[in-house]
Amino acid sequence: MDVVSPELNSLLPDEIMDTEAIEDPSVSVSTSSTLLSLKSTLSTSTATTKTTDSVTGTTVSTGGLQKHATQFAFSAANHQIILNKVASSQATEAVKSAGTPPQIIKQEGQKLLVTAIGKSGQPIFFQLPHTGSKPGVSQTAGNTKSPTPQFKVVTIGERTELKPVMASSGNQVTTLQAQQLKTVQNIKSVPVGGVGGSQYKTIIPLSTQPNVQQIQVPGNRFHYVRLVTATTASSTGQLSGPNTSSVQTGKPVMVGTGAVRMSVPVVSAQAIKQVVPKPLPSAAQVVTTAQTQQRLIMPATPLPQIQPGFTSLPPGTVLAPAPGGSSVGYTVVPAQYVTQLQQPFATLASSSSFPASGAIQTQAKLPLNGVSAAETTSRPRKPCNCTKSQCLKLYCDCFANGEFCNNCNCNNCFNNLEHETERLKAIKTCLDRNPEAFKPKIGKGKEGESDRRHSKGCNCKRSGCLKNYCECYEAKIMCSSICKCIGCKNFEESPERKTLMHLADAAEVRVQQQTAAKTKLSSQISDLLMRTMPVVSSGGGRLPFTFVTKEVLEATCECLLEQAKKAEQSRQPQAEAERMILEEFGHCLMSIISSAGKAKADCASINC
DNA sequence: GAGTTTGAAACT
DNA sequence: CAGTTTCAAACTC
């Protein structure tokens, strides 16, 4: 059974599919040369292991494995998609009843933790004997001695996972895990029933942020974030409170009414090369790339309803399982949504509640025209002001750029996770109308033409293509042969354009000069202060400002007031009055500085 | 800040 | 595909 179905394969961008073949002939999807690849081969084993789904109680037998399972990931330059996959024959047989393919969670010594999603939607965990090697996953000393592996049930938000427990050393952890444990306060282990001895459910405490809970799991390479509503965060307190022994369901709860708005793995950059994709509690696979900006949550089941548009989705979009009951089944999330969640956290968390719409409004800037995400994200996009389009039409810049609205001024915004169904439909509608709708409008022109040009050309009639109404001009490119504009003045030799360019250049130069002048003045003042206020030889610091006493301040103010009076009596214009006062202030300042310097010199001579 | 202009997107 | 309407950004006052 192929984990990645042909239907799903067909959804992948072409450039991803045009990649080198993988070693395992049983796997139909190939890997990209650009990408890290995680491979794990399970060799033949006849051991039989039974584990119990801690949620459903389902017992899964994985014994008698004859073939191997391969886990790998791949990506492509722009899309940077990694597809995680476990291909095995009998391994998947073991979980056929579960309904989804198994995924390797991690390797622990000679055991491989595998998970699948039960038909009830609950995760099933089991282990596979493993005699092969798995690069990038460190062995945990001691656990190979355990003939009967034991597990801890780790609850992370809505998710429940099993973590192996070394029989010989109890809760022994690796160095990495120990380090990470330091960051996790108040971990509680609660005994729960299970196979092979006692099991524990580890309660990972929530952060103190009201809306955002960052969860770090010992031994887990992923950082988890959990967004909750302000009310649920305080009222439920499921993970931090004492009444948390009940195992959470594995179903994802998206933004909205549930306690958990979102729970997604966020991978640190340094951990990428050793990423072992974490199974979501639904039939989806989180896949990630060496660049953390983009992630793809690929469903393990076909997506018939939205297949046609998939190759044209906004670049780097993420497919995430839609909330239960969604007719569509998947939601399309801006690619960097996951990563960028970390940015708005401070803002979101600092407020007592989410915006009125109740939606997470975050923004994920997607790479355009080869401009890296880092570059684009450093320049915040302007907030939109949509009032009627619900931000679900291309009128909305956020939507058109494949972003969620964030800190926008829009009304009745649907461009957020809370309305993922509507958003997905809107995306599909746009793609039906124009498959290129989400592709960058500014791209490479034909050979011999300018490097950058508008893909469709503009249709300006009255602006002369010299105002920002014109998409070409706005993109700072000249109109090309495909433009249908009337009265175009946006071409190389256009005198109007040249004039505009000169004006723009002159304005820019003025700004630069002003900035330079300010910098220079600031530097001179600083220099002056340094020279007139010699450093204290003993401490190496500047002369303390103890000379600016209350009396000195009062005297200074009197001088300034006196100057103001003088200006008023002589009926000086306001500008002149201000000048006089400032001048007086300068004199006062110099006097203070001079006195301080003298005092310092006297002090130094006395000390000598 | 309100009103106007503009051209892309959406609609017919 | 062309004409019209809608929409939000750009622009002007």
Side-chain angles (χ1 to χ4, degrees), chain A residues 131-347:
Chain A
T131 59
S133 62
K134 185 178 182 181
V137 179
S138 62
Q139 300 271 329
T140 303
N143 63 345
T144 54
K145 296 177 184 174
S146 174
T148 309
Q150 300 176 4
F151 296 92
K152 282 193 295 187
V153 180
V154 179
T155 301
I156 307 162
E158 292 282 310
R159 300 176 49 178
T160 303
E161 296 174 6
L162 292 183
K163 281 181 60 64
V165 176
M166 275 61 73
S168 58
S169 58
N171 286 331
Q172 179 185 350
V173 294
T174 63
T175 304
L176 175 63
Q177 289 169 335
Q179 288 170 349
Q180 290 176 325
L181 272 169
K182 290 178 183 174
T183 67
V184 179
Q185 304 294 320
N186 305 319
I187 292 181
K188 297 178 183 178
S189 291
V190 183
V192 296
V195 175
S198 63
Q199 296 183 350
Y200 296 88
K201 170 186 175 182
T202 300
I203 309 301
I204 308 297
L206 303 176
S207 79
T208 55
Q209 303 284 16
N211 297 332
V212 180
Q213 298 165 341
Q214 298 196 21
I215 304 165
Q216 196 170 22
V217 184
N220 194 321
R221 296 178 195 283
F222 292 107
H223 294 266
Y224 292 86
V225 293
R226 183 172 185 265
L227 300 182
V228 298
T229 60
T231 50
T232 52
S234 56
S235 62
T236 57
Q238 288 197 344
L239 293 182
S240 55
N243 302 322
T244 54
S245 58
S246 62
V247 177
Q248 305 286 316
T249 69
K251 291 183 179 178
V253 181
M254 304 302 275
V255 178
T257 54
V260 175
R261 282 178 169 268
M262 186 176 180
S263 180
V264 289
V266 177
V267 189
S268 61
Q270 65 270 24
I272 294 298
K273 288 187 177 177
Q274 295 186 337
V275 160
V276 178
K278 203 73 170 175
L280 280 183
S282 67
Q285 298 173 337
V286 176
V287 285
T288 184
T289 75
Q291 295 182 18
T292 58
Q293 288 88 359
Q294 293 190 344
R295 290 177 175 77
L296 182 68
I297 302 175
M298 295 294 289
T301 50
L303 302 161
Q305 297 182 48
I306 48 177
Q307 275 184 26
F310 261 58
T311 55
S312 302
L313 283 175
T317 46
V318 172
L319 300 178
S326 166
S327 60
V328 178
Y330 292 85
T331 184
V332 180
V333 180
Q336 291 155 19
Y337 176 76
V338 172
T339 301
Q340 299 216 353
L341 272 175
Q342 297 170 103
Q343 307 282 341
F345 276 171
T347 307

Side-chain angles (χ1 to χ4, degrees), chain A residues 443-446 449-453:
Chain A
K444 272 211 157 189
K446 293 176 186 171
E449 294 187 8
S450 169
D451 271 357
R452 295 171 69 238
R453 74 166 192 176

Side-chain angles (χ1 to χ4, degrees), chain A residues 91 282 396 410 483:
Chain A
S282 67
C396 175
C410 40
C483 291

